[in-house]
Amino acid sequence: DSIPIQKQNGLFNYADLENYLDLKDYPFETHHQLLQLMEKFNICFKLIGAQDLYIIPELLKDEIPNEEEFQEIVNADGLRFKITFTFMPKGLISKLICGFYNLLSSNNFWKNGVVLNYDMSKASILCKPLEKSLEIKIIGNPRRDLFTLIKNELSKIYLELNLKEGEDFFEEIPCNCDDCKHESIRAKDF
């Protein structure tokens, strides 16, 4: 709940924790443990290649940092699937961003989405809270490997949140028959 961290869209430095935390309740010696707990429960992650810089995804901006890269994935032909929830689990996309910190596409992650890079493939994951859904698109090769990584991370989150397929969420893959492949009905293909 620190205002400076909020103003920096979730970015903070480990050394700054002493300025943000009440040292009576959280003595300096506990800061490392507290940060480890935050990482373990996917509340924050350490930026790769940055000395002691961390991000809390819940505090990210709403805007997509690199709209061009995101649209490149969305508009390309690729593997698509959608997950619809009976209720949208709070912090779901934040947990995914934290879980995939090592696959993040530079700084292309935002409050409701993320772009991932793996080998020669890319994925966009877009959270639509009002529709209670996640839309995932994977392009490049090998798509299957990135698909498996995403499914495994989602499975861990489902288990952690005690979500059951068929009750709490439904996975949908678009129809690939000749009629449904036609562009004019693409919006209704799940």
Side-chain angles (χ1 to χ4, degrees), residues 37-181:
L37 282 172
M38 290 173 67
E39 286 181 285
K40 179 181 178 179
F41 291 103
N42 290 329
I43 296 169
C44 74
F45 66 93
K46 185 175 182 179
L47 284 174
I48 293 178
Q51 181 98 14
D52 293 333
L53 280 178
Y54 293 82
I55 295 245
I56 301 171
E58 280 291 320
L59 301 176
L60 291 169
K61 291 181 180 181
D62 289 327
E63 299 83 32
I64 301 170
N66 186 340
E67 179 77 34
E68 185 178 317
E69 181 184 35
F70 176 70
Q71 289 302 324
E72 170 194 331
I73 297 168
V74 170
N75 295 328
D77 190 33
L79 173 64
R80 298 182 308 134
F81 64 105
K82 180 178 179 179
I83 304 161
T84 305
F85 297 87
T86 53
F87 65 93
M88 194 68 199
K90 181 148 177 64
L92 177 66
I93 193 70
S94 294
K95 288 181 179 297
L96 282 170
I97 292 170
C98 288
F100 285 122
Y101 73 93
N102 58 331
L103 299 180
L104 295 177
S105 176
S106 60
N107 289 330
N108 211 4
F109 47 93
W110 60 101
K111 190 172 188 116
N112 287 313
V114 62
V115 171
L116 305 174
N117 283 319
Y118 180 76
D119 204 7
M120 299 297 291
S121 56
K122 288 184 176 188
S124 67
I125 304 175
L126 183 62
C127 178
K128 294 186 169 184
L130 296 177
E131 296 176 21
K132 299 183 277 190
S133 68
L134 279 181
E135 291 184 2
I136 300 163
K137 175 91 176 259
I138 304 169
I139 64 169
N141 287 306
R143 293 178 200 167
R144 180 185 60 218
D145 295 346
L146 187 49
F147 175 77
T148 301
L149 290 171
I150 293 169
K151 291 282 290 173
N152 287 343
E153 190 64 29
L154 283 167
S155 293
K156 284 193 265 181
I157 294 170
Y158 298 154
L159 188 61
E160 178 187 328
L161 298 176
N162 198 27
L163 298 176
K164 294 176 179 56
E165 187 172 5
E167 289 179 32
D168 302 312
F169 67 93
F170 305 87
E171 294 184 352
E172 303 171 75
I173 297 173
C175 179
N176 63 359
C177 73
D178 290 334
D179 290 335
C180 292
K181 284 182 183 179

